[in-house]
Amino acid sequence: MKKFMAMLLILVMVFSLAACSSDSKESDGNPTIGVTIYKYDDNFMSFVRRAIETAAVDKAVLEMNDSQNSQATQNDQVDTMISKGAKALAINLVDPQAASAIIEKAKKADLPVVFFNKEPETSVLASYDKAWYVGTASAEAGVIQGELIANGWKANPDWDRNGDGVMSYVLLKGEPGHPDAEARTKYAVETVVAAGIAVEELELQTGMWDSVKGKELMDAWIAKHGDAIEMVICNNDGMALGAIQSLNAAGYFNDGKYMPVVGVDAIPDALEQIKEGKMAGTVLNDAKNQGGATFDLALNVANGKDPLDGTSWTLDAGKAVRVPYVAVTIDNITFAEEAYK
Ligand code: BGC
């Protein structure tokens, strides 16, 4: 009997604690939104995460998850968020191909889902009326980066180090299969060629968006090609920063020895390199607005409203909000600095 009473007491305590904690969440009337970031250890995504967290203050309870670059981990996190009562999901996929698996889970729970940064295929997004995407038009960054390169090449004849009229470049690519990496690689080079510049690809390999990998590849390429390299094209600033470290160590940016390096994102560390004259330019990937739009849409649908309710975002035919990219050089650096504040 004593045992029974003790068990009863424990049960009563557990239930009242559970009631308290859910009350405290719901007392302010704010919905819970389940968020995953493909990995916290990604420079650019840390700014998107910050933007989501800032936007959520006093409006929603965020269940924020680091998927640690594992789709299996992310799938489990989605299950947990659903069972914990999330009213909407905001998902930065690990693997862009996994969108359909996430949609299946959301559908079963009748939950809306906003994907961001890693774009699912249009047909997959179209397969669920409660799924949307927030990101960019991937190709745009490539075109803008290509224009930056072409303008710089034409304005600085000494960038053609051996004077053969051909731009010999190395290219640090992001994650293969990532729509941003594929489109940036393709369109950056195509835009340079379309501007009438002959090119030679010395190296093209993936640095997986990562600074350390970018440095390692650049070390190897400098050892192999030396001064034959005339342009370093990077799918993101993280890898550009790694390449610059490697170039610094090899004596570049000293005694008039220069190498044009271009990136994408305009993260604060890259803007510093532009100011120091070590990066020719980058392309603003607007983390603040992408994070803000992701949250706005997720909050609206969590509250059962139209995704665009009360916002100035627009959806294209593929149910995507596309935040524009902007070219950044030393000439408009303050604008880029403001964008990341
Ligand atoms: C950014 C990269 C980032 C990647 C993550 C891209 O849009 O430019 O810096 O690593 O997204 O998915």
Side-chain angles (χ1 to χ4, degrees), residues 232-243:
V232 182
I233 307 175
C234 308
N235 277 179
N236 80 342
D237 287 347
M239 295 185 293
L241 293 172

Side-chain angles (χ1 to χ4, degrees), residues 38 42 44-45 92 117-118 178 180 184 209 235-236 264-265 285 325:
Y38 92 98
D42 176 297
F44 173 73
M45 290 314 299
N92 175 213
N117 171 259
K118 290 202 196 181
H178 189 309
D180 288 349
R184 288 176 195 174
W209 303 121
N235 277 179
N236 80 342
V264 175
D265 283 341
N285 191 7
Y325 286 106

Side-chain angles (χ1 to χ4, degrees), residues 43 170-172 207-222 232-253 259-265 267 269-271 273 278-279:
N43 222 323
V170 294
L171 194 150
L172 282 166
M208 296 300 286
W209 303 121
D210 184 74
S211 192
V212 175
K213 292 200 177 72
K215 180 182 178 303
E216 284 167 4
L217 284 170
M218 197 67 217
D219 285 344
W221 294 344
I222 293 173
V232 182
I233 307 175
C234 308
N235 277 179
N236 80 342
D237 287 347
M239 295 185 293
L241 293 172
I244 290 171
Q245 271 185 36
S246 168
L247 288 161
N248 269 330
Y252 284 86
F253 312 117
M259 177 71 81
V261 179
V262 290
V264 175
D265 283 341
I267 54 173
D269 285 349
L271 300 179
Q273 299 301 319
K278 296 183 180 179
M279 220 168 135

Side-chain angles (χ1 to χ4, degrees), residues 151-217:
N151 293 341
W153 184 262
K154 288 179 180 170
N156 298 280
D158 52 329
W159 286 8
D160 184 7
R161 206 187 302 278
N162 59 7
D164 66 351
V166 178
M167 179 196 295
S168 303
Y169 69 88
V170 294
L171 194 150
L172 282 166
K173 184 176 172 175
E175 182 192 348
H178 189 309
D180 288 349
E182 299 300 337
R184 288 176 195 174
T185 301
K186 177 177 187 304
Y187 287 97
V189 177
E190 278 186 17
T191 304
V192 173
V193 172
I197 298 167
V199 299
E200 180 196 9
E201 179 188 293
L202 293 179
E203 298 286 348
L204 188 161
Q205 278 189 57
T206 177
M208 296 300 286
W209 303 121
D210 184 74
S211 192
V212 175
K213 292 200 177 72
K215 180 182 178 303
E216 284 167 4
L217 284 170

